[in-house]
Amino acid sequence: MTQEFKILKTKRLLAQIDEYELDAPAGFGELTVDYIADNYNGAGPDWMPDDMRHVITWLLSLFEPAFLIHDMEFSASNRTTKGFIAANSRMWRNISKIINYEYPLCNPFCWIDRVKWYLRGAAAYRACKRFGWSAWTD
């Protein structure tokens, strides 16, 4: 992936973060697009092969703006249990905001998609909560 493509993708995700009104940690707004583009690697830990992260990111594409925030939190980890819980909780809140924005409860025609994305989001959250500690402390 070229740097130019990474920057364009980062700008698109940042626009989605604003559109969904996602929660971000203090200092997130001060990060440069270049820094974010260089440090965001999609869904999955750094040790995972790029191809596998690419597939997981594609499967969970709706939540990519939440994952970008989560990655930036992990790249600035304070290595504390409290920080780990806060980062994962923020990711879950942001996943929920995205689902509510894209598939509102007031629209019965989207309930099947809402449930599908809810289950995917819950699986991503549980995976981070259960297996993310080594990445948080790395």
Side-chain angles (χ1 to χ4, degrees):
M1 184 181 318
T2 68
Q3 184 66 14
E4 183 179 340
F5 181 80
K6 283 181 173 182
I7 289 172
L8 288 173
K9 182 176 181 175
T10 299
K11 287 180 178 179
R12 178 181 54 81
L13 291 172
L14 290 170
Q16 288 178 309
I17 287 168
D18 288 341
E19 179 181 354
Y20 294 135
E21 297 180 3
L22 300 185
D23 182 28
F28 180 82
E30 298 167 20
L31 299 175
T32 67
V33 172
D34 287 330
Y35 176 84
I36 295 170
D38 288 340
N39 288 283
Y40 174 62
N41 67 1
D46 288 338
W47 57 261
M48 188 178 283
D50 288 344
D51 291 344
M52 188 177 286
R53 274 199 317 269
H54 180 74
V55 169
I56 293 170
T57 303
W58 176 74
L59 289 170
L60 299 170
S61 59
L62 183 65
F63 308 127
E64 227 183 320
F67 296 154
L68 185 143
I69 293 169
H70 194 251
D71 264 17
M72 294 308 101
E73 260 186 297
F74 266 58
S75 69
S77 167
N78 63 9
R79 296 180 173 82
T80 66
T81 302
K82 184 177 178 181
F84 178 69
I85 292 169
N88 288 327
S89 296
R90 182 185 329 274
M91 185 183 74
W92 176 245
R93 286 192 310 274
N94 285 336
I95 284 171
S96 298
K97 282 183 176 185
I98 293 169
I99 292 168
N100 289 331
Y101 184 94
E102 293 293 341
Y103 304 102
L105 279 172
C106 62
N107 182 353
F109 299 107
C110 68
W111 287 354
I112 291 172
D113 287 330
R114 181 183 173 85
V115 169
K116 174 185 78 171
W117 283 108
Y118 177 87
L119 293 173
R120 287 181 184 182
Y125 167 69
R126 284 193 309 270
C128 287
K129 186 177 170 183
R130 186 166 189 186
F131 303 112
W133 180 252
S134 62
W136 181 254
T137 59
D138 185 22

